Amino acid sequence: MELFTAIHCRRSRAVLTAPGPSAEDVETLLAAAVAAPDHGRRTPWRFVILAGEGKDAFADVVEKAFRARTAGPVDPARLARETARLARAPMVIAIACVAGDGDSIPHRERLAATAAATQNLLLAATALGYGSIWRTGWLADDPHVKRELGLSPADDIVAFVHLGGADGDQRMRPRPAAEPGEVSWAWPLSR
């Protein structure tokens, strides 16, 4: 798929089906991700691929984290919904920005680079014909989840990218043009 077609066809897909990306396609997705701008060549991103039995087993991590953050009795229906979060797709890639303690590159720039890597991965998934959705939620901030993914408490989970087959059309979606108040063509700005 051509670049601009992938950009305009990318959309969040809540329903994703098997199969997920092949090992070869995952390499392609990660190569696209790490081509993102990276101030100081710090490679601030970390990718944890959850697929197959590993993704299924991660439901136990989600359950422990949910129970730890819930005061009082746990509603069984809510617990079932929470532990099924990653079951919505055949593959989930957790993408994190590492803190870079003592690094001269500001954290906001490390975070921006990781977000750019995430967007590159989403566009590459679209170009390869996969559906995707960028999710965060409470899992992204949970210390137990971070620890189980091999991250430090200071690291930021930027995304849980869900990947799989997507039913429905892959046509370009109409998007609004940038509004006049969102774009300035000259500086100093007239007020």
Side-chain angles (χ1 to χ4, degrees), residues 101-112:
D101 296 334
D103 195 335
S104 63
I105 306 300
H107 184 69
R108 69 179 177 277
E109 293 186 25
R110 299 171 73 79
L111 202 54

Side-chain angles (χ1 to χ4, degrees), residues 89-153:
M91 178 179 286
V92 176
I93 300 179
I95 304 176
C97 174
V98 295
D101 296 334
D103 195 335
S104 63
I105 306 300
H107 184 69
R108 69 179 177 277
E109 293 186 25
R110 299 171 73 79
L111 202 54
T114 305
T118 303
Q119 177 69 356
N120 280 3
L121 189 143
L122 292 168
L123 292 174
T126 300
L128 292 174
Y130 293 105
S132 63
I133 188 167
W134 179 334
R135 295 189 182 273
T136 52
W138 67 268
L139 287 178
D141 297 318
D142 189 84
H144 182 71
V145 170
K146 287 181 182 184
R147 185 173 49 255
E148 290 296 320
L149 291 174
L151 303 170
S152 80

Side-chain angles (χ1 to χ4, degrees), residues 3-111:
L3 172 66
F4 289 103
T5 302
I7 288 170
H8 293 289
C9 288
R10 194 225 50 85
R11 63 183 73 188
S12 296
R13 304 279 185 171
V15 178
L16 297 163
T17 59
S22 66
E24 182 180 340
D25 286 346
V26 170
E27 287 183 25
T28 300
L29 295 174
L30 296 177
V34 301
D38 173 18
H39 186 173
R41 298 182 184 169
R42 296 301 200 272
T43 61
W45 40 70
R46 296 296 177 269
F47 306 93
V48 180
I49 299 166
L50 302 168
E53 292 176 9
K55 182 176 68 69
D56 296 342
F58 202 74
D60 292 339
V61 172
V62 174
E63 179 178 352
K64 287 178 187 171
F66 183 72
R67 286 183 183 279
R69 69 187 298 114
T70 305
V74 173
D75 173 32
R78 175 82 191 273
L79 179 61
R81 280 193 311 273
E82 296 299 333
T83 57
R85 280 178 176 266
L86 302 183
R88 298 174 184 165
M91 178 179 286
V92 176
I93 300 179
I95 304 176
C97 174
V98 295
D101 296 334
D103 195 335
S104 63
I105 306 300
H107 184 69
R108 69 179 177 277
E109 293 186 25
R110 299 171 73 79
L111 202 54

